[in-house]
mmCIF file with all atom_site columns, all heavy atoms in Angstrom:
data_model
loop_
_atom_site.group_PDB
_atom_site.id
_atom_site.type_symbol
_atom_site.label_atom_id
_atom_site.label_alt_id
_atom_site.label_comp_id
_atom_site.label_asym_id
_atom_site.label_entity_id
_atom_site.label_seq_id
_atom_site.pdbx_PDB_ins_code
_atom_site.Cartn_x
_atom_site.Cartn_y
_atom_site.Cartn_z
_atom_site.occupancy
_atom_site.B_iso_or_equiv
_atom_site.pdbx_formal_charge
_atom_site.auth_seq_id
_atom_site.auth_comp_id
_atom_site.auth_asym_id
_atom_site.auth_atom_id
_atom_site.pdbx_PDB_model_num
ATOM 1   N N   . GLU Y 1 134 ? -34.158 -10.597 -5.683  1.00 93.00 ? 134 GLU Y N   1
ATOM 2   C CA  . GLU Y 1 134 ? -32.863 -11.269 -5.468  1.00 93.00 ? 134 GLU Y CA  1
ATOM 3   C C   . GLU Y 1 134 ? -32.051 -11.330 -6.758  1.00 93.00 ? 134 GLU Y C   1
ATOM 4   O O   . GLU Y 1 134 ? -30.835 -11.110 -6.748  1.00 93.00 ? 134 GLU Y O   1
ATOM 5   C CB  . GLU Y 1 134 ? -33.142 -12.675 -4.925  1.00 93.00 ? 134 GLU Y CB  1
ATOM 6   C CG  . GLU Y 1 134 ? -31.908 -13.400 -4.407  1.00 93.00 ? 134 GLU Y CG  1
ATOM 7   C CD  . GLU Y 1 134 ? -31.246 -14.256 -5.488  1.00 93.00 ? 134 GLU Y CD  1
ATOM 8   O OE1 . GLU Y 1 134 ? -31.946 -14.600 -6.463  1.00 93.00 ? 134 GLU Y OE1 1
ATOM 9   O OE2 . GLU Y 1 134 ? -30.044 -14.554 -5.370  1.00 93.00 ? 134 GLU Y OE2 1
ATOM 10  N N   . ARG Y 1 135 ? -32.680 -11.584 -7.888  1.00 93.00 ? 135 ARG Y N   1
ATOM 11  C CA  . ARG Y 1 135 ? -31.976 -11.599 -9.178  1.00 93.00 ? 135 ARG Y CA  1
ATOM 12  C C   . ARG Y 1 135 ? -31.462 -10.212 -9.541  1.00 93.00 ? 135 ARG Y C   1
ATOM 13  O O   . ARG Y 1 135 ? -30.343 -10.071 -10.066 1.00 93.00 ? 135 ARG Y O   1
ATOM 14  C CB  . ARG Y 1 135 ? -32.918 -12.146 -10.259 1.00 93.00 ? 135 ARG Y CB  1
ATOM 15  C CG  . ARG Y 1 135 ? -33.207 -13.623 -10.143 1.00 93.00 ? 135 ARG Y CG  1
ATOM 16  C CD  . ARG Y 1 135 ? -34.310 -14.029 -11.098 1.00 93.00 ? 135 ARG Y CD  1
ATOM 17  N NE  . ARG Y 1 135 ? -33.909 -13.734 -12.491 1.00 93.00 ? 135 ARG Y NE  1
ATOM 18  C CZ  . ARG Y 1 135 ? -34.754 -13.820 -13.514 1.00 93.00 ? 135 ARG Y CZ  1
ATOM 19  N NH1 . ARG Y 1 135 ? -36.031 -14.142 -13.298 1.00 93.00 ? 135 ARG Y NH1 1
ATOM 20  N NH2 . ARG Y 1 135 ? -34.340 -13.567 -14.744 1.00 93.00 ? 135 ARG Y NH2 1
ATOM 21  N N   . THR Y 1 136 ? -32.275 -9.214  -9.280  1.00 93.00 ? 136 THR Y N   1
ATOM 22  C CA  . THR Y 1 136 ? -31.819 -7.841  -9.556  1.00 93.00 ? 136 THR Y CA  1
ATOM 23  C C   . THR Y 1 136 ? -30.604 -7.501  -8.702  1.00 93.00 ? 136 THR Y C   1
ATOM 24  O O   . THR Y 1 136 ? -29.653 -6.877  -9.184  1.00 93.00 ? 136 THR Y O   1
ATOM 25  C CB  . THR Y 1 136 ? -32.953 -6.842  -9.273  1.00 93.00 ? 136 THR Y CB  1
ATOM 26  O OG1 . THR Y 1 136 ? -34.094 -7.189  -10.056 1.00 93.00 ? 136 THR Y OG1 1
ATOM 27  C CG2 . THR Y 1 136 ? -32.513 -5.438  -9.603  1.00 93.00 ? 136 THR Y CG2 1
ATOM 28  N N   . GLU Y 1 137 ? -30.621 -7.929  -7.460  1.00 94.00 ? 137 GLU Y N   1
ATOM 29  C CA  . GLU Y 1 137 ? -29.479 -7.655  -6.575  1.00 94.00 ? 137 GLU Y CA  1
ATOM 30  C C   . GLU Y 1 137 ? -28.218 -8.346  -7.082  1.00 94.00 ? 137 GLU Y C   1
ATOM 31  O O   . GLU Y 1 137 ? -27.127 -7.749  -7.082  1.00 94.00 ? 137 GLU Y O   1
ATOM 32  C CB  . GLU Y 1 137 ? -29.820 -8.137  -5.164  1.00 94.00 ? 137 GLU Y CB  1
ATOM 33  C CG  . GLU Y 1 137 ? -28.716 -7.913  -4.138  1.00 94.00 ? 137 GLU Y CG  1
ATOM 34  C CD  . GLU Y 1 137 ? -28.472 -6.439  -3.866  1.00 94.00 ? 137 GLU Y CD  1
ATOM 35  O OE1 . GLU Y 1 137 ? -29.399 -5.631  -4.054  1.00 94.00 ? 137 GLU Y OE1 1
ATOM 36  O OE2 . GLU Y 1 137 ? -27.333 -6.099  -3.462  1.00 94.00 ? 137 GLU Y OE2 1
ATOM 37  N N   . ARG Y 1 138 ? -28.313 -9.569  -7.537  1.00 94.00 ? 138 ARG Y N   1
ATOM 38  C CA  . ARG Y 1 138 ? -27.142 -10.299 -8.027  1.00 94.00 ? 138 ARG Y CA  1
ATOM 39  C C   . ARG Y 1 138 ? -26.592 -9.669  -9.302  1.00 94.00 ? 138 ARG Y C   1
ATOM 40  O O   . ARG Y 1 138 ? -25.374 -9.498  -9.450  1.00 94.00 ? 138 ARG Y O   1
ATOM 41  C CB  . ARG Y 1 138 ? -27.517 -11.764 -8.263  1.00 94.00 ? 138 ARG Y CB  1
ATOM 42  C CG  . ARG Y 1 138 ? -27.818 -12.548 -7.002  1.00 94.00 ? 138 ARG Y CG  1
ATOM 43  C CD  . ARG Y 1 138 ? -28.297 -13.951 -7.333  1.00 94.00 ? 138 ARG Y CD  1
ATOM 44  N NE  . ARG Y 1 138 ? -27.271 -14.684 -8.098  1.00 94.00 ? 138 ARG Y NE  1
ATOM 45  C CZ  . ARG Y 1 138 ? -27.473 -15.903 -8.587  1.00 94.00 ? 138 ARG Y CZ  1
ATOM 46  N NH1 . ARG Y 1 138 ? -28.644 -16.508 -8.433  1.00 94.00 ? 138 ARG Y NH1 1
ATOM 47  N NH2 . ARG Y 1 138 ? -26.508 -16.508 -9.249  1.00 94.00 ? 138 ARG Y NH2 1
ATOM 48  N N   . ILE Y 1 139 ? -27.470 -9.314  -10.218 1.00 94.00 ? 139 ILE Y N   1
ATOM 49  C CA  . ILE Y 1 139 ? -27.002 -8.751  -11.491 1.00 94.00 ? 139 ILE Y CA  1
ATOM 50  C C   . ILE Y 1 139 ? -26.377 -7.371  -11.285 1.00 94.00 ? 139 ILE Y C   1
ATOM 51  O O   . ILE Y 1 139 ? -25.307 -7.077  -11.816 1.00 94.00 ? 139 ILE Y O   1
ATOM 52  C CB  . ILE Y 1 139 ? -28.165 -8.690  -12.496 1.00 94.00 ? 139 ILE Y CB  1
ATOM 53  C CG1 . ILE Y 1 139 ? -28.595 -10.112 -12.879 1.00 94.00 ? 139 ILE Y CG1 1
ATOM 54  C CG2 . ILE Y 1 139 ? -27.759 -7.912  -13.744 1.00 94.00 ? 139 ILE Y CG2 1
ATOM 55  C CD1 . ILE Y 1 139 ? -29.817 -10.163 -13.786 1.00 94.00 ? 139 ILE Y CD1 1
ATOM 56  N N   . THR Y 1 140 ? -27.026 -6.539  -10.502 1.00 94.00 ? 140 THR Y N   1
ATOM 57  C CA  . THR Y 1 140 ? -26.470 -5.192  -10.273 1.00 94.00 ? 140 THR Y CA  1
ATOM 58  C C   . THR Y 1 140 ? -25.158 -5.268  -9.479  1.00 94.00 ? 140 THR Y C   1
ATOM 59  O O   . THR Y 1 140 ? -24.238 -4.479  -9.722  1.00 94.00 ? 140 THR Y O   1
ATOM 60  C CB  . THR Y 1 140 ? -27.479 -4.325  -9.516  1.00 94.00 ? 140 THR Y CB  1
ATOM 61  O OG1 . THR Y 1 140 ? -27.884 -4.992  -8.310  1.00 94.00 ? 140 THR Y OG1 1
ATOM 62  C CG2 . THR Y 1 140 ? -28.700 -4.055  -10.374 1.00 94.00 ? 140 THR Y CG2 1
ATOM 63  N N   . HIS Y 1 141 ? -25.073 -6.219  -8.550  1.00 94.00 ? 141 HIS Y N   1
ATOM 64  C CA  . HIS Y 1 141 ? -23.818 -6.364  -7.790  1.00 94.00 ? 141 HIS Y CA  1
ATOM 65  C C   . HIS Y 1 141 ? -22.676 -6.790  -8.710  1.00 94.00 ? 141 HIS Y C   1
ATOM 66  O O   . HIS Y 1 141 ? -21.551 -6.272  -8.608  1.00 94.00 ? 141 HIS Y O   1
ATOM 67  C CB  . HIS Y 1 141 ? -24.010 -7.392  -6.673  1.00 94.00 ? 141 HIS Y CB  1
ATOM 68  C CG  . HIS Y 1 141 ? -22.755 -7.650  -5.894  1.00 94.00 ? 141 HIS Y CG  1
ATOM 69  N ND1 . HIS Y 1 141 ? -22.221 -6.736  -5.005  1.00 94.00 ? 141 HIS Y ND1 1
ATOM 70  C CD2 . HIS Y 1 141 ? -21.909 -8.731  -5.888  1.00 94.00 ? 141 HIS Y CD2 1
ATOM 71  C CE1 . HIS Y 1 141 ? -21.117 -7.232  -4.478  1.00 94.00 ? 141 HIS Y CE1 1
ATOM 72  N NE2 . HIS Y 1 141 ? -20.905 -8.438  -4.994  1.00 94.00 ? 141 HIS Y NE2 1
ATOM 73  N N   . ALA Y 1 142 ? -22.959 -7.725  -9.626  1.00 94.00 ? 142 ALA Y N   1
ATOM 74  C CA  . ALA Y 1 142 ? -21.922 -8.150  -10.574 1.00 94.00 ? 142 ALA Y CA  1
ATOM 75  C C   . ALA Y 1 142 ? -21.522 -7.000  -11.496 1.00 94.00 ? 142 ALA Y C   1
ATOM 76  O O   . ALA Y 1 142 ? -20.322 -6.791  -11.772 1.00 94.00 ? 142 ALA Y O   1
ATOM 77  C CB  . ALA Y 1 142 ? -22.424 -9.338  -11.393 1.00 94.00 ? 142 ALA Y CB  1
ATOM 78  N N   . ALA Y 1 143 ? -22.502 -6.241  -11.972 1.00 94.00 ? 143 ALA Y N   1
ATOM 79  C CA  . ALA Y 1 143 ? -22.180 -5.107  -12.851 1.00 94.00 ? 143 ALA Y CA  1
ATOM 80  C C   . ALA Y 1 143 ? -21.382 -4.043  -12.112 1.00 94.00 ? 143 ALA Y C   1
ATOM 81  O O   . ALA Y 1 143 ? -20.412 -3.490  -12.646 1.00 94.00 ? 143 ALA Y O   1
ATOM 82  C CB  . ALA Y 1 143 ? -23.478 -4.523  -13.412 1.00 94.00 ? 143 ALA Y CB  1
ATOM 83  N N   . ASP Y 1 144 ? -21.781 -3.764  -10.873 1.00 93.00 ? 144 ASP Y N   1
ATOM 84  C CA  . ASP Y 1 144 ? -21.042 -2.770  -10.086 1.00 93.00 ? 144 ASP Y CA  1
ATOM 85  C C   . ASP Y 1 144 ? -19.608 -3.238  -9.820  1.00 93.00 ? 144 ASP Y C   1
ATOM 86  O O   . ASP Y 1 144 ? -18.671 -2.431  -9.824  1.00 93.00 ? 144 ASP Y O   1
ATOM 87  C CB  . ASP Y 1 144 ? -21.759 -2.508  -8.767  1.00 93.00 ? 144 ASP Y CB  1
ATOM 88  C CG  . ASP Y 1 144 ? -23.111 -1.834  -8.969  1.00 93.00 ? 144 ASP Y CG  1
ATOM 89  O OD1 . ASP Y 1 144 ? -23.332 -1.281  -10.061 1.00 93.00 ? 144 ASP Y OD1 1
ATOM 90  O OD2 . ASP Y 1 144 ? -23.939 -1.890  -8.038  1.00 93.00 ? 144 ASP Y OD2 1
ATOM 91  N N   . SER Y 1 145 ? -19.421 -4.533  -9.590  1.00 93.00 ? 145 SER Y N   1
ATOM 92  C CA  . SER Y 1 145 ? -18.066 -5.056  -9.349  1.00 93.00 ? 145 SER Y CA  1
ATOM 93  C C   . SER Y 1 145 ? -17.176 -4.860  -10.571 1.00 93.00 ? 145 SER Y C   1
ATOM 94  O O   . SER Y 1 145 ? -16.023 -4.441  -10.450 1.00 93.00 ? 145 SER Y O   1
ATOM 95  C CB  . SER Y 1 145 ? -18.142 -6.539  -8.969  1.00 93.00 ? 145 SER Y CB  1
ATOM 96  O OG  . SER Y 1 145 ? -18.877 -6.719  -7.776  1.00 93.00 ? 145 SER Y OG  1
ATOM 97  N N   . LEU Y 1 146 ? -17.717 -5.167  -11.744 1.00 92.00 ? 146 LEU Y N   1
ATOM 98  C CA  . LEU Y 1 146 ? -16.937 -4.953  -12.967 1.00 92.00 ? 146 LEU Y CA  1
ATOM 99  C C   . LEU Y 1 146 ? -16.603 -3.471  -13.166 1.00 92.00 ? 146 LEU Y C   1
ATOM 100 O O   . LEU Y 1 146 ? -15.472 -3.113  -13.526 1.00 92.00 ? 146 LEU Y O   1
ATOM 101 C CB  . LEU Y 1 146 ? -17.710 -5.479  -14.174 1.00 92.00 ? 146 LEU Y CB  1
ATOM 102 C CG  . LEU Y 1 146 ? -17.677 -6.988  -14.434 1.00 92.00 ? 146 LEU Y CG  1
ATOM 103 C CD1 . LEU Y 1 146 ? -18.573 -7.335  -15.624 1.00 92.00 ? 146 LEU Y CD1 1
ATOM 104 C CD2 . LEU Y 1 146 ? -16.255 -7.462  -14.685 1.00 92.00 ? 146 LEU Y CD2 1
ATOM 105 N N   . ARG Y 1 147 ? -17.582 -2.618  -12.930 1.00 92.00 ? 147 ARG Y N   1
ATOM 106 C CA  . ARG Y 1 147 ? -17.361 -1.189  -13.158 1.00 92.00 ? 147 ARG Y CA  1
ATOM 107 C C   . ARG Y 1 147 ? -16.313 -0.622  -12.206 1.00 92.00 ? 147 ARG Y C   1
ATOM 108 O O   . ARG Y 1 147 ? -15.384 0.074   -12.623 1.00 92.00 ? 147 ARG Y O   1
ATOM 109 C CB  . ARG Y 1 147 ? -18.684 -0.436  -12.997 1.00 92.00 ? 147 ARG Y CB  1
ATOM 110 C CG  . ARG Y 1 147 ? -18.564 1.060   -13.275 1.00 92.00 ? 147 ARG Y CG  1
ATOM 111 C CD  . ARG Y 1 147 ? -19.907 1.753   -13.224 1.00 92.00 ? 147 ARG Y CD  1
ATOM 112 N NE  . ARG Y 1 147 ? -20.484 1.780   -11.882 1.00 92.00 ? 147 ARG Y NE  1
ATOM 113 C CZ  . ARG Y 1 147 ? -21.495 1.009   -11.468 1.00 92.00 ? 147 ARG Y CZ  1
ATOM 114 N NH1 . ARG Y 1 147 ? -22.040 0.136   -12.307 1.00 92.00 ? 147 ARG Y NH1 1
ATOM 115 N NH2 . ARG Y 1 147 ? -21.972 1.096   -10.241 1.00 92.00 ? 147 ARG Y NH2 1
ATOM 116 N N   . TRP Y 1 148 ? -16.436 -0.933  -10.929 1.00 92.00 ? 148 TRP Y N   1
ATOM 117 C CA  . TRP Y 1 148 ? -15.487 -0.385  -9.959  1.00 92.00 ? 148 TRP Y CA  1
ATOM 118 C C   . TRP Y 1 148 ? -14.100 -1.009  -10.102 1.00 92.00 ? 148 TRP Y C   1
ATOM 119 O O   . TRP Y 1 148 ? -13.089 -0.340  -9.845  1.00 92.00 ? 148 TRP Y O   1
ATOM 120 C CB  . TRP Y 1 148 ? -16.026 -0.600  -8.539  1.00 92.00 ? 148 TRP Y CB  1
ATOM 121 C CG  . TRP Y 1 148 ? -17.128 0.347   -8.209  1.00 92.00 ? 148 TRP Y CG  1
ATOM 122 C CD1 . TRP Y 1 148 ? -18.456 0.058   -8.076  1.00 92.00 ? 148 TRP Y CD1 1
ATOM 123 C CD2 . TRP Y 1 148 ? -17.007 1.758   -8.010  1.00 92.00 ? 148 TRP Y CD2 1
ATOM 124 N NE1 . TRP Y 1 148 ? -19.166 1.192   -7.805  1.00 92.00 ? 148 TRP Y NE1 1
ATOM 125 C CE2 . TRP Y 1 148 ? -18.306 2.248   -7.747  1.00 92.00 ? 148 TRP Y CE2 1
ATOM 126 C CE3 . TRP Y 1 148 ? -15.943 2.641   -8.013  1.00 92.00 ? 148 TRP Y CE3 1
ATOM 127 C CZ2 . TRP Y 1 148 ? -18.553 3.592   -7.497  1.00 92.00 ? 148 TRP Y CZ2 1
ATOM 128 C CZ3 . TRP Y 1 148 ? -16.190 3.988   -7.767  1.00 92.00 ? 148 TRP Y CZ3 1
ATOM 129 C CH2 . TRP Y 1 148 ? -17.482 4.451   -7.518  1.00 92.00 ? 148 TRP Y CH2 1
ATOM 130 N N   . ALA Y 1 149 ? -14.043 -2.273  -10.520 1.00 91.00 ? 149 ALA Y N   1
ATOM 131 C CA  . ALA Y 1 149 ? -12.728 -2.882  -10.762 1.00 91.00 ? 149 ALA Y CA  1
ATOM 132 C C   . ALA Y 1 149 ? -12.027 -2.196  -11.928 1.00 91.00 ? 149 ALA Y C   1
ATOM 133 O O   . ALA Y 1 149 ? -10.818 -1.939  -11.879 1.00 91.00 ? 149 ALA Y O   1
ATOM 134 C CB  . ALA Y 1 149 ? -12.896 -4.375  -11.041 1.00 91.00 ? 149 ALA Y CB  1
ATOM 135 N N   . ALA Y 1 150 ? -12.782 -1.904  -12.983 1.00 89.00 ? 150 ALA Y N   1
ATOM 136 C CA  . ALA Y 1 150 ? -12.186 -1.199  -14.124 1.00 89.00 ? 150 ALA Y CA  1
ATOM 137 C C   . ALA Y 1 150 ? -11.720 0.202   -13.728 1.00 89.00 ? 150 ALA Y C   1
ATOM 138 O O   . ALA Y 1 150 ? -10.649 0.656   -14.135 1.00 89.00 ? 150 ALA Y O   1
ATOM 139 C CB  . ALA Y 1 150 ? -13.186 -1.119  -15.273 1.00 89.00 ? 150 ALA Y CB  1
ATOM 140 N N   . ARG Y 1 151 ? -12.508 0.880   -12.921 1.00 88.00 ? 151 ARG Y N   1
ATOM 141 C CA  . ARG Y 1 151 ? -12.118 2.223   -12.484 1.00 88.00 ? 151 ARG Y CA  1
ATOM 142 C C   . ARG Y 1 151 ? -10.906 2.183   -11.556 1.00 88.00 ? 151 ARG Y C   1
ATOM 143 O O   . ARG Y 1 151 ? -10.011 3.029   -11.645 1.00 88.00 ? 151 ARG Y O   1
ATOM 144 C CB  . ARG Y 1 151 ? -13.298 2.901   -11.785 1.00 88.00 ? 151 ARG Y CB  1
ATOM 145 C CG  . ARG Y 1 151 ? -14.447 3.259   -12.747 1.00 88.00 ? 151 ARG Y CG  1
ATOM 146 C CD  . ARG Y 1 151 ? -15.602 3.878   -11.996 1.00 88.00 ? 151 ARG Y CD  1
ATOM 147 N NE  . ARG Y 1 151 ? -16.679 4.266   -12.910 1.00 88.00 ? 151 ARG Y NE  1
ATOM 148 C CZ  . ARG Y 1 151 ? -17.844 4.771   -12.510 1.00 88.00 ? 151 ARG Y CZ  1
ATOM 149 N NH1 . ARG Y 1 151 ? -18.088 4.927   -11.207 1.00 88.00 ? 151 ARG Y NH1 1
ATOM 150 N NH2 . ARG Y 1 151 ? -18.763 5.104   -13.412 1.00 88.00 ? 151 ARG Y NH2 1
ATOM 151 N N   . ASP Y 1 152 ? -10.880 1.190   -10.648 1.00 89.00 ? 152 ASP Y N   1
ATOM 152 C CA  . ASP Y 1 152 ? -9.717  1.066   -9.759  1.00 89.00 ? 152 ASP Y CA  1
ATOM 153 C C   . ASP Y 1 152 ? -8.449  0.749   -10.553 1.00 89.00 ? 152 ASP Y C   1
ATOM 154 O O   . ASP Y 1 152 ? -7.367  1.249   -10.233 1.00 89.00 ? 152 ASP Y O   1
ATOM 155 C CB  . ASP Y 1 152 ? -9.961  -0.034  -8.727  1.00 89.00 ? 152 ASP Y CB  1
ATOM 156 C CG  . ASP Y 1 152 ? -11.062 0.352   -7.741  1.00 89.00 ? 152 ASP Y CG  1
ATOM 157 O OD1 . ASP Y 1 152 ? -11.370 1.560   -7.646  1.00 89.00 ? 152 ASP Y OD1 1
ATOM 158 O OD2 . ASP Y 1 152 ? -11.618 -0.562  -7.090  1.00 89.00 ? 152 ASP Y OD2 1
ATOM 159 N N   . ARG Y 1 153 ? -8.597  -0.072  -11.573 1.00 87.00 ? 153 ARG Y N   1
ATOM 160 C CA  . ARG Y 1 153 ? -7.441  -0.410  -12.401 1.00 87.00 ? 153 ARG Y CA  1
ATOM 161 C C   . ARG Y 1 153 ? -6.924  0.832   -13.136 1.00 87.00 ? 153 ARG Y C   1
ATOM 162 O O   . ARG Y 1 153 ? -5.718  1.089   -13.180 1.00 87.00 ? 153 ARG Y O   1
ATOM 163 C CB  . ARG Y 1 153 ? -7.818  -1.500  -13.408 1.00 87.00 ? 153 ARG Y CB  1
ATOM 164 C CG  . ARG Y 1 153 ? -6.695  -1.945  -14.325 1.00 87.00 ? 153 ARG Y CG  1
ATOM 165 C CD  . ARG Y 1 153 ? -7.183  -3.020  -15.278 1.00 87.00 ? 153 ARG Y CD  1
ATOM 166 N NE  . ARG Y 1 153 ? -6.145  -3.454  -16.181 1.00 87.00 ? 153 ARG Y NE  1
ATOM 167 C CZ  . ARG Y 1 153 ? -5.248  -4.392  -15.902 1.00 87.00 ? 153 ARG Y CZ  1
ATOM 168 N NH1 . ARG Y 1 153 ? -5.287  -5.000  -14.740 1.00 87.00 ? 153 ARG Y NH1 1
ATOM 169 N NH2 . ARG Y 1 153 ? -4.321  -4.744  -16.783 1.00 87.00 ? 153 ARG Y NH2 1
ATOM 170 N N   . ALA Y 1 154 ? -7.840  1.610   -13.707 1.00 85.00 ? 154 ALA Y N   1
ATOM 171 C CA  . ALA Y 1 154 ? -7.429  2.832   -14.406 1.00 85.00 ? 154 ALA Y CA  1
ATOM 172 C C   . ALA Y 1 154 ? -6.800  3.823   -13.441 1.00 85.00 ? 154 ALA Y C   1
ATOM 173 O O   . ALA Y 1 154 ? -5.789  4.471   -13.771 1.00 85.00 ? 154 ALA Y O   1
ATOM 174 C CB  . ALA Y 1 154 ? -8.635  3.458   -15.100 1.00 85.00 ? 154 ALA Y CB  1
ATOM 175 N N   . ARG Y 1 155 ? -7.343  3.945   -12.232 1.00 87.00 ? 155 ARG Y N   1
ATOM 176 C CA  . ARG Y 1 155 ? -6.771  4.871   -11.255 1.00 87.00 ? 155 ARG Y CA  1
ATOM 177 C C   . ARG Y 1 155 ? -5.391  4.410   -10.791 1.00 87.00 ? 155 ARG Y C   1
ATOM 178 O O   . ARG Y 1 155 ? -4.477  5.225   -10.590 1.00 87.00 ? 155 ARG Y O   1
ATOM 179 C CB  . ARG Y 1 155 ? -7.711  5.011   -10.062 1.00 87.00 ? 155 ARG Y CB  1
ATOM 180 C CG  . ARG Y 1 155 ? -7.226  6.039   -9.037  1.00 87.00 ? 155 ARG Y CG  1
ATOM 181 C CD  . ARG Y 1 155 ? -8.245  6.274   -7.938  1.00 87.00 ? 155 ARG Y CD  1
ATOM 182 N NE  . ARG Y 1 155 ? -8.484  5.086   -7.138  1.00 87.00 ? 155 ARG Y NE  1
ATOM 183 C CZ  . ARG Y 1 155 ? -9.598  4.363   -7.207  1.00 87.00 ? 155 ARG Y CZ  1
ATOM 184 N NH1 . ARG Y 1 155 ? -10.551 4.690   -8.052  1.00 87.00 ? 155 ARG Y NH1 1
ATOM 185 N NH2 . ARG Y 1 155 ? -9.754  3.296   -6.448  1.00 87.00 ? 155 ARG Y NH2 1
ATOM 186 N N   . LYS Y 1 156 ? -5.219  3.078   -10.640 1.00 86.00 ? 156 LYS Y N   1
ATOM 187 C CA  . LYS Y 1 156 ? -3.916  2.551   -10.232 1.00 86.00 ? 156 LYS Y CA  1
ATOM 188 C C   . LYS Y 1 156 ? -2.863  2.837   -11.289 1.00 86.00 ? 156 LYS Y C   1
ATOM 189 O O   . LYS Y 1 156 ? -1.735  3.254   -10.981 1.00 86.00 ? 156 LYS Y O   1
ATOM 190 C CB  . LYS Y 1 156 ? -4.029  1.041   -9.989  1.00 86.00 ? 156 LYS Y CB  1
ATOM 191 C CG  . LYS Y 1 156 ? -2.716  0.369   -9.616  1.00 86.00 ? 156 LYS Y CG  1
ATOM 192 C CD  . LYS Y 1 156 ? -2.153  0.935   -8.311  1.00 86.00 ? 156 LYS Y CD  1
ATOM 193 C CE  . LYS Y 1 156 ? -0.891  0.191   -7.910  1.00 86.00 ? 156 LYS Y CE  1
ATOM 194 N NZ  . LYS Y 1 156 ? -0.287  0.775   -6.688  1.00 86.00 ? 156 LYS Y NZ  1
ATOM 195 N N   . PHE Y 1 157 ? -3.215  2.618   -12.563 1.00 83.00 ? 157 PHE Y N   1
ATOM 196 C CA  . PHE Y 1 157 ? -2.274  2.914   -13.640 1.00 83.00 ? 157 PHE Y CA  1
ATOM 197 C C   . PHE Y 1 157 ? -1.946  4.401   -13.678 1.00 83.00 ? 157 PHE Y C   1
ATOM 198 O O   . PHE Y 1 157 ? -0.793  4.788   -13.915 1.00 83.00 ? 157 PHE Y O   1
ATOM 199 C CB  . PHE Y 1 157 ? -2.851  2.463   -14.979 1.00 83.00 ? 157 PHE Y CB  1
ATOM 200 C CG  . PHE Y 1 157 ? -2.816  0.978   -15.180 1.00 83.00 ? 157 PHE Y CG  1
ATOM 201 C CD1 . PHE Y 1 157 ? -3.562  0.375   -16.189 1.00 83.00 ? 157 PHE Y CD1 1
ATOM 202 C CD2 . PHE Y 1 157 ? -2.049  0.169   -14.360 1.00 83.00 ? 157 PHE Y CD2 1
ATOM 203 C CE1 . PHE Y 1 157 ? -3.520  -0.996  -16.378 1.00 83.00 ? 157 PHE Y CE1 1
ATOM 204 C CE2 . PHE Y 1 157 ? -2.005  -1.201  -14.534 1.00 83.00 ? 157 PHE Y CE2 1
ATOM 205 C CZ  . PHE Y 1 157 ? -2.747  -1.785  -15.542 1.00 83.00 ? 157 PHE Y CZ  1
ATOM 206 N N   . ALA Y 1 158 ? -2.940  5.227   -13.441 1.00 85.00 ? 158 ALA Y N   1
ATOM 207 C CA  . ALA Y 1 158 ? -2.698  6.674   -13.446 1.00 85.00 ? 158 ALA Y CA  1
ATOM 208 C C   . ALA Y 1 158 ? -1.776  7.070   -12.292 1.00 85.00 ? 158 ALA Y C   1
ATOM 209 O O   . ALA Y 1 158 ? -0.872  7.914   -12.454 1.00 85.00 ? 158 ALA Y O   1
ATOM 210 C CB  . ALA Y 1 158 ? -4.019  7.431   -13.354 1.00 85.00 ? 158 ALA Y CB  1
#
Side-chain angles (χ1 to χ4, degrees):
E134 191 268 338
R135 289 171 60 189
T136 303
E137 180 67 26
R138 292 175 60 184
I139 293 175
T140 54
H141 177 72
D144 294 342
S145 298
L146 280 176
R147 182 175 68 255
W148 285 108
R151 291 178 178 176
D152 292 342
R153 180 180 179 85
R155 184 174 64 253
K156 177 62 176 177
F157 285 165

